[in-house]
Amino acid sequence: MKNTVKNGVILLLIVVHSTFARAEVIKEKEPNVIATAETIINAPIKDVWSILAEDWAGIGKWSSGVSHSQGFGQPIGGSDYTIRACEITAAGFDDTKEQILEYDDQNYLLKYELADGLPGFVKDAINIWTLEETANGTLIKGKTTMRATGIMGVMMKGIMKGATRKALESMTRELKHYVETGELHPDKLASNKKVAKKEAKMRKKVAFVDVQQEIDAPAERVWEIIGTNFANIADSNPDCPYSEWADGYHKAEVGAKRIMYMTDSRDKKYFVDEIAKYDPANYHITIEITNKKGFGTLNINYTWVNMDVEKISENKTLLKIRFHYLTKPKFLKGLAKGSMRKGFQKYAYGIDYHAETGELVTEKKWKAIKHLYK
């Protein structure tokens, strides 16, 4: 009898403990930072929705909190992208990546999460925007929920709530102005001027390396490799095992993007390149890096490549490459210069070999052909 009672007590304690444990988990997952903002926009609901949701990746056009934004991933609903990257203007804040969780163009609801750029003590952050038709136009409501944890979370909850509410109010105010007038809010204009001034200052600090290579092949053939076949850079770059067009792009033109995977494991190190200038008549291409993974010191906001093909004779071509770059921190740019030049010279050799032989230049094959370029 004693054992039966004892076992029953133990079982009861286990059940109670388990119940409290589950309650703690549920409580821990609930947001503890909530901020809201709303306003009336004197415009049809579809006009507001087209800017807020359909052009979701274009937030950098009108929000003073974002200097530049870029879309990625698959389309969802009326939006061309499910992911956007934002360069944040506020000092001390990291650039962010956000991903759409719910896109409802029937009920005018947009829900997305901050997938990257959160402080370590913030476990998740979700934004929800809803639109409602009113007699005066459109009621827009914004809500942000976050889960701040640890000691820093306890200390920063109040500050974060105030800052988030202020950011939401700024967004609704600037969106209202943009939709109603078709012009940028004064705060966005001021932010653009500040960003442009910083941009000019930063560009003066950009370093560059020059590489040239004479190639025994027609200029048209060399241009085909670097321009027409933009997405096939893996054919001539021994450091790039695989490359492809980014989603939605199929030919070389301004705005087209490719993905350069720099290891066999495609999710570890890669670049996303975009054609900024494309001039086939003069054999010129400018390529900007819009996204990366695994190259932490490279500041992609100030990194681009100019490539030019000059005809020397019918079967001889001069390839010119100028790589502009900046590092984080900036003092590393001098230390990186040697390796940058070496890497682009290797790439130029790869273009040479591919143009002259038509063979693919893989890392394995490079070991056998590099002696040709000593």
Side-chain angles (χ1 to χ4, degrees):
M1 183 67 178
K2 286 186 177 180
N3 287 336
T4 302
V5 173
K6 183 179 180 181
N7 291 338
V9 171
I10 292 173
L11 180 60
L12 178 62
L13 289 173
I14 291 173
V15 171
V16 171
H17 180 270
S18 177
T19 301
F20 276 108
R22 285 197 299 271
E24 285 297 314
V25 170
I26 293 170
K27 183 179 179 182
E28 185 179 303
K29 289 186 177 181
E30 291 177 352
N32 53 12
V33 176
I34 301 174
T36 60
E38 63 180 64
T39 192
I40 296 288
I41 298 179
N42 299 311
I45 194 168
K46 289 187 180 295
D47 291 352
V48 181
W49 183 255
S50 68
I51 295 172
L52 176 70
E54 292 175 359
D55 191 23
W56 180 69
I59 185 175
K61 298 174 185 176
W62 53 268
S63 172
S64 63
V66 180
S67 61
H68 177 73
S69 57
Q70 183 78 39
F72 303 95
Q74 299 290 332
I76 181 172
S79 171
D80 290 335
Y81 307 102
T82 50
I83 299 171
R84 72 181 178 195
C86 298
E87 297 174 18
I88 306 302
T89 57
F93 286 84
D94 292 334
D95 295 341
T96 64
K97 281 186 184 176
E98 298 165 319
Q99 183 166 0
I100 293 177
L101 301 176
E102 188 174 350
Y103 186 103
D104 185 349
D105 51 11
Q106 298 299 312
N107 297 300
Y108 298 107
L109 181 146
L110 178 66
K111 180 179 181 181
Y112 55 91
E113 66 174 343
L114 274 75
D116 194 13
L118 289 170
F121 60 88
V122 178
K123 294 304 179 184
D124 50 54
I126 294 175
N127 288 344
I128 301 173
W129 292 93
T130 57
L131 304 181
E132 299 174 18
E133 285 187 295
T134 69
N136 298 322
T138 302
L139 171 64
I140 180 172
K141 295 181 179 180
K143 180 180 181 180
T144 299
T145 64
M146 289 184 280
R147 190 161 55 94
T149 61
I151 296 175
M152 284 298 295
V154 173
M155 294 172 60
M156 296 295 291
K157 276 195 304 183
I159 296 174
M160 289 173 62
K161 183 175 181 178
T164 304
R165 183 180 64 251
K166 185 177 179 181
L168 286 174
E169 291 172 347
S170 175
M171 285 182 67
T172 55
R173 181 172 62 249
E174 291 167 9
L175 180 61
K176 173 182 171 69
H177 185 88
Y178 187 61
V179 174
E180 291 179 354
T181 69
E183 299 177 355
L184 300 179
H185 191 277
D187 289 350
K188 177 60 173 175
L189 292 173
S191 175
N192 284 350
K193 287 183 179 180
K194 187 176 180 180
V195 169
K197 186 176 181 180
K198 179 184 176 182
E199 179 85 4
K201 185 177 179 181
M202 291 294 287
R203 281 187 174 264
K204 290 181 179 179
K205 300 177 181 180
V206 171
F208 67 87
V209 295
D210 282 320
V211 169
Q212 296 188 14
Q213 181 67 24
E214 282 194 10
I215 301 174
D216 292 330
E220 294 81 5
R221 170 57 179 154
V222 180
W223 175 253
E224 181 183 31
I225 294 170
I226 68 168
T228 309
N229 295 335
F230 173 72
N232 299 334
I233 186 173
D235 293 351
S236 56
N237 189 333
D239 291 328
C240 176
Y242 183 72
S243 62
E244 63 181 347
W245 290 110
D247 289 340
Y249 301 98
H250 308 285
K251 68 175 183 177
E253 59 187 354
V254 172
K257 296 178 184 178
R258 71 183 176 201
I259 306 175
M260 292 177 59
Y261 300 99
M262 306 307 287
T263 65
D264 290 325
S265 178
R266 299 183 190 181
D267 61 342
K268 287 188 177 181
K269 299 177 78 173
Y270 60 78
F271 290 108
V272 179
D273 297 335
E274 178 178 347
I275 299 177
K277 295 180 182 178
Y278 190 73
D279 186 359
N282 295 297
Y283 298 139
H284 171 84
I285 187 170
T286 297
I287 303 163
E288 296 179 348
I289 300 175
T290 62
N291 197 14
K292 66 178 175 66
K293 183 176 182 181
F295 298 88
T297 61
L298 194 63
N299 187 338
I300 62 173
N301 297 325
Y302 304 96
T303 299
W304 70 96
V305 184
N306 292 330
M307 301 183 73
D308 293 276
V309 174
E310 294 183 6
K311 182 177 180 179
I312 298 175
S313 65
E314 289 301 318
N315 204 46
K316 188 176 285 291
T317 301
L318 178 63
L319 172 65
K320 293 182 176 180
I321 302 175
R322 172 167 284 194
F323 176 60
H324 303 256
Y325 70 97
L326 197 61
T327 57
K328 294 181 181 179
K330 291 187 287 292
F331 73 83
L332 289 176
K333 67 181 181 180
L335 298 175
K337 197 160 193 172
S339 62
M340 297 290 187
R341 180 179 287 109
K342 184 178 179 181
F344 275 93
Q345 186 64 70
K346 184 178 178 181
Y347 174 39
Y349 290 153
I351 294 171
D352 184 353
Y353 188 83
H354 183 54
E356 293 179 9
T357 67
E359 297 178 9
L360 302 183
V361 185
T362 63
E363 183 180 9
K364 184 176 180 180
K365 186 173 288 186
W366 177 250
K367 295 177 181 179
I369 63 177
K370 64 181 180 180
H371 68 279
L372 299 173
Y373 296 97
K374 288 184 178 180

